[in-house]
Amino acid sequence: MSVATRVIPCLDVDAGRVVKGVNFLNLRDAGDPVELAKLYGEQGADELTFLDVTASSGNRETTYDIVGRTAEQVFIPLTVGGGVRTVDDVDRLLRAGADKVGVNTAAIARPELIAEVADRFGSQVLVLSADVRRRVDDAGHRSGGFEVTTHGGRQGTGLDAVEWCARAAELGAGEILLNSMDADGTKDGFDVELIELVRREVRIPLIASGGAGRVEHFAPAVRAGADAVLAASVFHFGELTIGDVKDALRQDGIPVR
């Protein structure tokens, strides 16, 4: 029996509104997060992911409020990330109504955070969010391999993405949200090579993110090793529904819920 592939809309939230851009730039308003979350729940989304894209301390209270209001209306698992720095941040988000919490920059700065969160709440709560881009040389040409980035893809870390994902899994991450910065918002398809490379090294579930534009883009990501597929703008602007994606996956012989 194959495990059903999950279809997950992602809500990038900035100051209480959903926004979407290309390669994390030129953000435009895509609506009210609670209303969109409710719509996706009705459409049959398996989970929801909220990312606080600016994650400043000023926005943090807004995020807790949105999470709480969403959890009251929508009864599917909710993952929240963005600016999570401590075990206490995780605790507060779970109390607000999140089921899982995504960590990125803080885990790179202090990898022990992954183990601390997993020890206190269980691995199933912790999603490692990895914003990954292809390595380029000074002339801008691809130089091979993938690098983990922080600050919405604006800062390189020098960390090899595949090695970092494997290390996070060993430390106790329950799942990896693998986001291709090169593909983000382009609608040219997921980075299948990246998914395959990470899949070879980790056994925990992988969520493929970045690049979805058409229904036929989702099956290749699953065949490359993704357990779940995530998209944002194609859902927010009504280009695709959750049902469209699930129908296409079913027709491709991929089990969905």
Side-chain angles (χ1 to χ4, degrees):
M1 174 67 185
S2 300
V3 176
T5 298
R6 290 167 289 149
V7 178
I8 305 174
C10 181
L11 306 174
D12 294 322
V13 179
D14 179 9
R17 299 290 292 178
V18 176
V19 295
K20 194 59 203 163
V22 177
N23 305 126
F24 280 34
L25 301 172
N26 303 318
L27 300 179
R28 59 178 172 144
D29 189 276
D32 175 72
V34 182
E35 290 300 311
L36 278 172
K38 198 171 170 191
L39 171 69
Y40 296 142
E42 290 164 357
Q43 280 187 11
D46 298 304
E47 297 185 12
L48 283 171
T49 294
F50 269 24
L51 297 177
D52 179 353
V53 293
T54 42
S56 66
S57 54
N59 263 355
R60 188 49 45 78
E61 294 305 320
T62 307
T63 303
Y64 290 126
D65 174 58
I66 292 166
V67 170
R69 286 189 293 125
T70 302
E72 286 171 7
Q73 304 247 1
V74 182
F75 305 102
I76 53 178
L78 179 60
T79 299
V80 183
V84 175
R85 295 178 183 89
T86 65
V87 172
D88 287 342
D89 289 340
V90 175
D91 184 55
R92 194 162 171 207
L93 282 168
L94 294 174
R95 288 174 190 278
D99 298 281
K100 297 189 265 191
V101 176
V103 296
N104 179 358
T105 305
I108 290 167
R110 203 172 67 81
E112 306 83 63
L113 176 64
I114 296 171
E116 290 166 7
V117 173
D119 287 347
R120 179 156 168 196
F121 304 106
S123 288
Q124 78 285 348
V125 157
L126 187 72
V127 179
L128 179 83
S129 184
D131 290 338
V132 177
R133 68 177 175 216
R134 290 174 181 270
R135 291 187 189 275
V136 293
D137 59 23
D138 293 339
H141 302 122
R142 286 184 182 174
S143 56
F146 293 86
E147 178 186 24
V148 178
T149 67
T150 61
H151 300 84
R154 290 187 292 278
Q155 292 186 19
T157 62
L159 280 175
D160 178 84
V162 179
E163 290 174 7
W164 170 237
C165 288
R167 186 174 178 208
E170 286 172 8
L171 285 167
E175 196 165 36
I176 292 170
L177 171 54
L178 188 61
N179 187 30
S180 166
M181 303 303 302
D182 304 298
D184 175 72
T186 63
K187 301 187 184 172
D188 292 333
F190 293 92
D191 191 325
V192 171
E193 182 191 357
L194 173 61
I195 298 165
E196 287 174 342
L197 287 170
V198 175
R199 176 79 289 162
R200 273 181 222 150
E201 299 300 323
V202 303
R203 300 275 72 83
I204 61 175
L206 282 183
I207 305 166
S209 168
R214 303 196 303 274
V215 288
E216 53 267 34
H217 287 156
F218 292 87
V222 178
R223 298 206 191 289
D227 301 274
V229 284
L230 178 146
S233 55
V234 288
F235 294 142
H236 303 337
F237 299 116
E239 294 158 54
L240 298 176
T241 65
I242 308 293
D244 293 337
V245 174
K246 289 193 172 188
D247 287 345
L249 288 170
R250 271 191 208 100
Q251 285 165 13
D252 228 302
I254 293 168
V256 291
R257 294 178 186 178

